[in-house]
């Protein structure tokens, strides 16, 4: 819960839309962005004067923090992007060529599905492995779909609809055995769940900076395993090799043309430092406790349907519900207007996932919890859902 002081009017707002972007952020994130903008807001990697060098050093510090978090040996293999969508597009479009085959799942976000379907029209073969009604994927179903020309497997780590945690380590093992690249969409897991690119055989890790990593919007990143050749989808100034007309192939410059979001990246670094200080396992435990509390209580309410696994060890802090047959947009309107509770309705950019769990027409009301939510937030939400369910 947080206080929003607007025009001398105090609104108590309960923000439960952390799967879209986390809010609020830790104080040090706000402070570091402000400091970067006010004290050394120069262009990193350009110019070579003191301020540019300071911004460059800070950007590198964030690269190092992220590399450490995901067990990446060389921080230069982490590319900064503007969001997770950007990172996913870089791999999907930079790797797949006409005649290649790619396997994905029915639980993916449109940031995976749309680039793949665009490439499908250009001769890339796409297989979508169907999840069960809880959003669970059986790695054996992925294995069965492997062909001679399968180049890439791409799956989400956690469904942004049902909160289902996918077995990425097992899928990574299959990919490695078969010599296929594995791209993981860590949009809902980075900063909350353990990710080790070595142990999990992840070749590409796409992640947003603005969700679990607690950085500002407009930040994201991509890990590319050393030695894998992918073509950059954007060319331009990198501040390096300026005398040549071709894109340099060194990392991270190859994929970072144009001015970076320096202050945003500094804020992302502050977000990662915060997570390290508090302990990712403590943040995860807090969010799991909130999820358990919410699920236990919401399941007691007549008319409420909860989607995704009921076992909390398989369920991230993203909970999809419906109240009777009511349209999800109507519910969130009441939650927002009457109770000042912010959640997300509709299809959550995951149409195939909705088809998988049978909510394509109705949509769902998605509650997603962050590190700053409290058990009081949960109680107030449950009270609101109870009242709405009686009125409908
Ligand atoms: C599973 C998943 N993948 C990708 C994305 C896209 O992330 P971004 O908004 O940072 O591009 C989201 C956003 O909600 C998501 O939930």
């Amino acid at each position: 819960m947080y206080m929003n002081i607007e025009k001398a009017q105090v609104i108590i707002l309960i923000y439960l839309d952390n799967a879209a972007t986390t809010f609020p952020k830790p104080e040090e994130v706000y402070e570091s962005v402000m400091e970067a903008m006010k004290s050394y807001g120069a262009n990193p990697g350009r110019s070579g004067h003191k301020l540019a060098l300071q911004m460059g050093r800070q950007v590198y510090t964030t690269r190092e923090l992220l590399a450490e978090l995901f067990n990446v040996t060389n921080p230069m293999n982490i590319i900064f992007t503007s969001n997770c969508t950007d990172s996913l597009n870089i791999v999907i479009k930079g790797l797949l060529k006409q005649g290649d085959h790619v396997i994905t799942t029915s639980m993916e976000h449109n940031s995976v599905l749309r680039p793949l379907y665009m490439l499908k029209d250009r001769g890339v073969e796409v297989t979508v492995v169907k999840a069960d009604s809880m959003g669970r994927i059986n790695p054996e179903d992925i294995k069965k779909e492997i062909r001679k020309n399968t180049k890439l497997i791409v799956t989400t780590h956690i469904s942004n609809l049902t909160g289902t945690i996918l077995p990425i380590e097992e899928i990574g093992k299959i990919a490695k055995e078969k010599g296929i690249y594995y791209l993981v969409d860590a949009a809902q897991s980075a900063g909350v769940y353990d990710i080790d690119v070595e142990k999990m055989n992840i070749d590409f890790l796409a992640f947003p900076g603005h969700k679990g990593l607690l950085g500002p919007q407009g930040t994201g990143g991509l890990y590319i395993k050393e030695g894998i050749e992918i073509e950059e989808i954007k060319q331009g100034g990198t501040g390096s090799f300026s005398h040549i007309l071709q894109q340099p192939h060194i990392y991270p410059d190859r994929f970072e043309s144009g001015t970076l979001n320096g202050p945003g990246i500094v804020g992302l670094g502050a977000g990662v430092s915060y997570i390290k200080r508090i302990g990712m396992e403590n943040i995860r435990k807090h969010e799991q406790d909130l999820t358990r509390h919410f699920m236990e209580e919401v399941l007691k309410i007549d008319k409420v349907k909860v989607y995704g696994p009921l076992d909390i060890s398989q369920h991230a802090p993203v909970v999809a519900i419906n109240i009777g047959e009511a349209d999800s947009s109507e519910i969130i309107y009441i939650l927002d207007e009457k109770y000042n509770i912010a959640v997300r309705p509709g299809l959550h950019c995951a149409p195939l996932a909705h088809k998988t769990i049978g909510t394509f027409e109705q949509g769902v009301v998605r509650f997603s919890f962050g590190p700053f939510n409290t058990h009081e937030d949960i109680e107030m939400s449950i009270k609101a859902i109870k009242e709405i369910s009686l009125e409908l």
Side-chain angles (χ1 to χ4, degrees), residues 17-22 84 88 107 109 111 155-166 184-195 205-213 284 287 315-319 344 348-350 366-370:
D17 195 15
N18 291 280
T21 198
T22 47
C84 196
L88 291 161
M107 296 313 286
H109 189 270
S111 52
T155 77
T156 191
H157 186 181
I158 289 175
S159 160
N160 67 314
L161 172 62
T162 55
T164 313
I165 302 170
L166 270 68
V184 173
D185 171 1
Q188 297 298 337
S189 57
V192 184
Y193 286 80
D194 294 325
I195 299 174
L205 183 76
F207 57 91
H210 62 101
K211 300 188 199 254
L213 292 169
R284 183 166 64 238
E287 295 183 8
H315 202 132
V318 177
V319 186
R344 183 166 169 194
H348 313 89
C349 304
R366 184 183 72 182
F367 291 75
S368 49
F369 312 113

Side-chain angles (χ1 to χ4, degrees), residues 4 74 116 129 143 194 197 213 225 227 242 251 268 293 376:
N4 180 15
N74 183 359
L116 288 183
V129 170
K143 199 172 179 178
D194 294 325
V197 296
L213 292 169
K225 189 176 180 172
S242 297
Y251 282 55
L268 171 56
H293 183 177
E376 199 190 345

